[in-house]
Amino acid sequence: MTAAATVPFKGSRRASGYWRIARHFAARELGERFLGSLSGAAWALLAPVLQLLVLLLVFGIILKVRLPDADPRAFLPFLVAGLWPWVAFSEALMRGMAAIVERAALISKVAMPRSALVLAPVLASFALHGAGFVAVVCVIRALGYPIDLAGHAWARPYWVLLAGFAFGLALALATIRVFVPDAAHVVPQLVSLWFYLTP
């Protein structure tokens, strides 16, 4: 057996193998979560919509929050533009943090990069909620709300940067959770607090 055969990944093969593993587990996660259950797929898209309606009711209708020097109807697109990236980020963070612990049995049997297992739920979350974001923006644009669809081109780099930040943070938290199991209970509370501290 050659030295190259004993190394699981090497050079460009290592990079392509890494992404192949991440994509495989991302597709598998989407399949496990949504293909087996119609209600699960619907809820993944419906939950952010319900959260959006609650925020719109509290801030837009009851508290009558308005954006300075903007169309009064601009508050709904403003909420959508902030809420969907946050939902993708927080879900990616929570699922990525749990990835190594949940796949512990597989890790003990197969040699693979652990970070690819963390990247998979991040990719799945951003793909799912990215599609939901585009769908909701198109719907509220069709309802006559002031949205410039050309702005989506500017949003893509930020979406990628946010996914990268979520991956890095999830990787750190996944490592911590291996040694500190209580992190699974503490981090969701901190993320909820983070949501309300975010402008």
Side-chain angles (χ1 to χ4, degrees):
M1 182 179 291
T2 65
T6 62
V7 179
F9 301 99
K10 187 171 183 178
S12 61
R13 287 191 314 168
R14 179 176 182 173
S16 65
Y18 182 91
W19 284 105
R20 188 166 57 249
I21 291 170
R23 286 196 306 269
H24 168 76
F25 280 102
R28 184 173 171 179
E29 174 158 340
L30 287 172
E32 289 173 355
R33 288 173 60 188
F34 307 119
L35 295 182
S37 168
L38 182 60
S39 62
W43 182 249
L45 298 175
L46 194 58
V49 171
L50 294 176
Q51 188 176 3
L52 173 69
L53 293 176
V54 169
L55 292 172
L56 182 63
L57 173 66
V58 172
F59 294 104
I61 297 175
I62 296 174
L63 298 178
K64 299 188 184 303
V65 174
R66 297 291 179 265
L67 300 178
D69 303 321
D71 186 324
R73 298 178 306 156
F75 189 66
L76 177 60
F78 171 77
L79 278 178
V80 169
L83 181 61
W84 251 262
W86 175 263
V87 169
F89 171 78
S90 58
E91 181 179 294
L93 196 60
M94 295 298 98
R95 292 188 172 275
M97 181 180 71
I100 293 177
V101 171
E102 289 177 354
R103 306 281 185 188
L106 179 64
I107 291 171
S108 65
K109 297 175 183 175
V110 181
M112 66 174 65
R114 276 61 165 171
S115 59
L117 297 178
V118 177
L119 179 59
V122 173
L123 293 176
S125 296
F126 274 85
L128 174 71
H129 293 295
F133 177 65
V134 171
V136 169
V137 166
C138 290
V139 168
I140 62 176
R141 177 70 175 86
L143 293 174
Y145 283 87
I147 292 180
D148 180 10
L149 293 180
H152 273 240
W154 292 102
R156 289 175 196 152
Y158 294 105
W159 195 260
V160 172
L161 287 172
L162 185 62
F165 177 54
F167 171 55
L169 198 52
L171 196 58
L173 291 173
T175 305
I176 291 171
R177 186 176 170 185
V178 170
F179 301 101
V180 186
D182 288 343
H185 306 292
V186 174
V187 172
Q189 307 307 318
L190 295 177
V191 170
S192 297
L193 178 62
W194 192 357
F195 173 78
Y196 289 103
L197 292 176
T198 303

